[in-house]
């Protein structure tokens, strides 16, 4: 056995059977680890201190996320331990392409934060923007990932979230392969990923674990119910107040008879019932899990039935508000559904003034707001505005996986052009694709990348050189 002369040599020879250990040379570098329950080993006449992480903390076990449950996908979810969350992530991506950068936020709390991304997949400009915004955070305490979200989002006054959160490791992994950046915080079960687009908020994890025919049918239902949750109360108020001629006579007669005893205008009735429904929903969330849903359902039935019998509101209002509430639950992302719930009241107020005209103005205002927004430099309404045809295979409908050749990149940038030749890693021509017809001014370039999961004897991956011709005027090249 080699003779140990100092503490640094013992660390180099790895004589300490501890997974996480490091050395410190200054007094300040020793204080913070000790405050985090680490052990500092000091030796007389030694200029170094050995820091050993031997703390044991009680953590919640790996459980299924309550807000993102699936029928077929994995049942594992993140918890409050950053180390365990990274273990779940590394278990799914055992590759050197996965990069993890650790930093500390909060002048007092010194909360550990990890920035995760896939090398070769991530957009360098998005990654640089994420690091720059996080570096500007100067808060005394960072207790949860939401603290970081409010500091780095583009439009803090927008009702739509620009940063998506999730408790599912498989969702984070799929986003990393799409070129996104994940932000994981110690003490928070929710991880963030950026950039986010409007269409991501309407997609569920089950969309990628079921056959595409069923998924497309459910997506159509989901998108339809999203519009119902936003516009149904406002449309009812508009038709019954300003445009009665657009309703069939028999139906309008039934609505008029039901409203004979109601003392309030239709707009006031609808707003009051919406407020009651939102209050019951909020109470159901705050109450214990066993009695919360029961109180919400019984409260809605009792209050609605009593209000109709007392003649305060009409039965048609109860039906519309109930259908709207059910439709809002079809939105898979809770934070994304909040935007629809808030804008529902805005559309109600607009519809109660000038009818369909004000409703059209409100819809145009929402669309203009969505088109003008960006998430870390990526248009929020892409791939519709700007239009990226290659990414539309997973927007409203999901194409079969065999049709989605290559890896997708949801960062709003795509290479546009025509493939002219494909070569292997040795430069041997595999196949050529001669151009036909007239082409605009182009230039040649070579695009190389490793394809994880593709089989090649001896390496486990295949490296291809794709020669293309790209249009110089392409705005998304």
């Amino acid at each position: 056995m080699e003779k140990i002369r100092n503490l640094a040599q013992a660390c180099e020879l790895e004589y300490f059977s501890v997974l996480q250990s490091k050395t410190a040379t200054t007094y300040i570098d020793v204080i913070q680890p000790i405050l985090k329950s680490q052990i500092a080993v000091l030796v007389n006449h030694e200029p170094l201190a050995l820091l050993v992480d031997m703390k044991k903390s009680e953590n919640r076990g790996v459980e299924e996320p309550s807000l993102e449950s699936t029928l077929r996908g994995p049942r594992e979810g993140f918890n409050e331990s950053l180390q365990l969350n990274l273990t779940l992530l590394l278990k799914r991506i055992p590759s050197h392409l996965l990069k993890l950068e650790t930093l500390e936020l909060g002048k007092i709390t010194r909360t550990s934060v990890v920035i995760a991304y896939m090398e070769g997949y991530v957009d360098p400009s998005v990654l640089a923007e994420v690091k720059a915004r996080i570096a500007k955070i100067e808060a005394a305490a960072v207790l949860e990932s939401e603290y970081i979200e409010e500091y780095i989002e583009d439009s803090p006054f927008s009702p739509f979230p620009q940063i998506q959160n999730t408790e599912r490791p498989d969702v984070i992994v799929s986003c990393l392969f799409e070129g996104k950046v994940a932000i994981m915080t110690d003490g928070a079960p929710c991880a963030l990923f950026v950039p986010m687009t409007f269409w991501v908020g309407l997609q569920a994890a089950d969309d990628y674990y079921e056959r595409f025919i069923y998924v497309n049918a459910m997506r159509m239902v989901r998108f339809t119910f999203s519009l119902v949750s936003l516009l149904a109360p406002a449309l009812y108020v508009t038709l019954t107040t300003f445009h009665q001629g657009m309703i069939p006579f028999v139906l309008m007669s039934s609505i008029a008879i039901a409203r004979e005893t109601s003392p309030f205008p239709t707009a006031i009735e609808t707003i009051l019932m919406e407020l009651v429904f939102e209050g019951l929903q909020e109470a159901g969330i705050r109450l214990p899990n066993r009695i919360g849903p029961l109180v919400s359902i019984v409260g809605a039935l009792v209050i609605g039935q009593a209000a109709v019998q007392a003649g305060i509101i009409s039965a048609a209002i109860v039906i519309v508000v109930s259908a709207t509430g059910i439709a809002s639950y079809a939105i898979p992302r809770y934070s994304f559904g909040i935007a629809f719930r808030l804008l529902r009241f805005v559309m109600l107020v607009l519809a109660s003034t000038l009818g369909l005209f004000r409703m059209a103005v409100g819809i145009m205002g929402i669309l203009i707001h969505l088109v003008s927004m960006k998430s870390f430099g990526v248009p929020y309404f892409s791939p519709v505005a700007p239009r990226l045809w290659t990414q539309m295979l997973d927007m409203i409908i999901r194409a079969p996986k065999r049709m989605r050749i290559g890896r997708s990149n949801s960062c709003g940038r795509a290479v546009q052009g025509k493939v002219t030749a494909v070569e292997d890693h040795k430069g041997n021509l595999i196949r050529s694709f001669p151009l036909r017809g007239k082409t605009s001014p182009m230039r040649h370039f070579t695009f190389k990348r490793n394809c994880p999961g593709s089989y090649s004897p001896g390496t486990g991956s295949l490296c291809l050189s794709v020669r293309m011709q790209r249009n110089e005027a392409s705005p998304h090249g």
Side-chain angles (χ1 to χ4, degrees):
M1 181 177 180
E2 185 178 351
K3 184 178 179 180
I4 302 176
R5 297 182 178 86
N6 50 43
L7 188 61
Q9 184 182 8
C11 294
E12 294 177 358
L13 297 176
E14 298 180 354
Y15 284 162
F16 300 99
S17 58
V18 180
L19 292 178
Q20 298 183 4
S21 63
K22 60 181 181 179
T23 58
T25 57
T26 63
Y27 175 73
I28 299 177
D29 295 336
V30 177
I31 293 178
Q32 194 62 36
I34 292 178
L35 294 176
K36 289 188 174 182
S37 303
Q38 296 187 15
I39 298 175
V41 180
L42 303 175
V43 181
N44 195 17
H45 304 297
E46 287 285 340
L48 299 176
L50 177 65
L51 301 174
V52 181
D53 189 2
M54 300 184 65
K55 65 179 179 181
K56 181 181 179 182
S57 58
E58 297 296 332
N59 298 315
R60 183 167 55 94
V62 178
E63 303 173 355
E64 181 180 4
S66 58
L67 296 179
E68 298 179 83
S69 59
T70 60
L71 299 176
R72 184 174 177 178
R75 301 294 195 272
E76 293 180 333
F78 290 140
N79 64 7
E80 290 75 16
S81 174
L82 179 61
Q83 184 176 0
L84 180 59
N85 295 343
L86 293 177
T87 302
L88 295 175
L89 189 63
L90 291 169
K91 183 178 74 172
R92 287 166 171 79
I93 311 179
S95 172
H96 67 281
L97 296 177
L98 176 62
K99 304 300 179 182
L100 305 173
E101 298 185 10
T102 306
L103 62 153
E104 292 182 345
L105 295 179
K107 297 179 181 179
I108 298 177
T109 58
R110 308 296 296 177
T111 306
S112 298
V113 177
V114 172
I115 301 175
Y117 59 92
M118 292 291 293
E119 186 179 21
Y121 287 75
V122 68
D123 188 347
S125 62
V126 174
L127 179 60
E129 184 67 20
V130 171
K131 293 181 180 179
R133 295 188 187 184
I134 293 180
K136 294 180 181 179
I137 298 178
E138 296 181 356
V142 176
L143 306 179
E144 216 267 343
S145 58
E146 197 275 337
Y147 285 64
I148 303 175
E149 181 178 354
E150 287 198 13
Y151 274 102
I152 65 176
E153 62 182 350
D154 290 75
S155 304
F157 296 102
S158 173
F160 294 95
Q162 300 110 58
I163 301 175
Q164 187 59 50
N165 60 79
T166 181
E167 297 183 27
R168 298 185 60 88
D170 55 326
V171 173
I172 290 293
V173 170
S174 64
C175 291
L176 292 178
F177 277 102
E178 291 177 358
K180 298 182 179 181
V181 180
I183 304 172
M184 308 174 69
T185 309
D186 190 18
C190 291
L192 309 176
F193 60 84
V194 295
M196 176 189 176
T197 61
F198 175 84
W199 309 102
V200 173
L202 296 174
Q203 296 175 357
D206 271 329
D207 292 351
Y208 303 92
Y209 296 126
E210 300 289 347
R211 298 182 68 245
F212 76 98
I213 297 178
Y214 169 77
V215 169
N216 291 334
M218 290 299 100
R219 279 192 177 183
M220 292 298 178
V221 173
R222 190 183 306 151
F223 291 170
T224 303
F225 273 44
S226 300
L227 293 176
V228 170
S229 67
L230 176 65
L231 302 175
L235 188 61
Y236 174 79
V237 172
T238 297
L239 295 180
T240 56
T241 305
F242 298 98
H243 309 282
Q244 296 90 345
M246 299 179 64
I247 305 176
F249 178 77
V250 178
L251 179 59
M252 190 63 211
S253 301
S254 301
I255 295 175
I257 293 173
R259 293 199 68 256
E260 283 183 350
T261 58
S262 178
F264 302 109
T266 305
I268 301 299
E269 286 184 355
T270 309
I271 293 176
L272 288 177
M273 281 302 299
E274 285 289 345
L275 291 175
V276 171
F277 186 86
E278 293 294 333
L280 289 173
Q281 184 176 359
E282 187 69 15
I285 295 176
R286 306 305 169 196
L287 289 173
N289 294 333
R290 294 182 179 273
I291 64 174
L294 181 63
V295 170
S296 299
I297 296 173
V298 174
L301 292 175
V302 172
I303 293 175
Q305 183 67 22
V308 172
Q309 291 181 353
I312 300 176
I313 60 173
S314 61
I317 296 292
V318 177
I319 296 174
V320 172
V321 173
S322 301
T324 304
I326 294 174
S328 64
Y329 291 124
I331 301 175
R333 308 287 183 182
Y334 177 77
S335 59
F336 197 74
I338 293 177
F340 284 77
R341 291 162 58 184
L342 294 176
L343 293 174
R344 185 190 309 159
F345 288 93
V346 177
M347 298 301 298
L348 262 175
V349 174
L350 293 176
S352 61
T353 54
L354 290 178
L356 288 177
F357 174 74
R358 282 293 180 91
M359 276 194 65
V361 172
I363 294 173
M364 289 298 297
I366 294 174
L367 291 177
I368 292 173
H369 175 67
L370 291 173
V371 172
S372 62
M373 284 177 57
K374 288 188 177 181
S375 176
F376 289 83
V378 177
Y380 192 70
F381 215 55
S382 65
V384 175
R387 190 168 299 165
L388 302 174
W389 296 105
T390 56
Q391 296 181 25
M392 287 188 178
L393 293 178
D394 190 18
M395 190 183 67
I396 298 179
I397 63 172
R398 180 178 76 80
K401 291 183 174 63
R402 66 178 66 184
M403 293 179 59
R404 300 172 63 189
I405 302 174
R407 63 179 172 91
S408 61
N409 188 341
S410 60
C411 292
R413 296 168 176 83
V415 177
Q416 298 180 352
K418 295 183 178 181
V419 178
T420 58
V422 178
E423 303 172 353
D424 61 9
H425 63 287
K426 295 182 180 180
N428 300 322
L429 181 65
I430 297 178
R431 186 175 179 182
S432 61
F433 302 89
L435 295 174
R436 298 178 181 178
K438 296 182 179 180
T439 59
S440 55
M442 304 276 185
R443 69 181 178 89
H444 287 277
F445 72 96
T446 301
F447 173 73
K448 294 184 178 181
R449 73 172 182 88
N450 289 326
C451 308
S454 302
Y455 176 74
S456 179
T459 61
S461 63
L462 178 64
C463 181
L464 297 178
S465 173
V466 182
R467 185 171 296 277
M468 303 177 66
Q469 282 192 340
R470 183 177 65 175
N471 194 338
E472 293 286 0
S474 174
H476 307 295

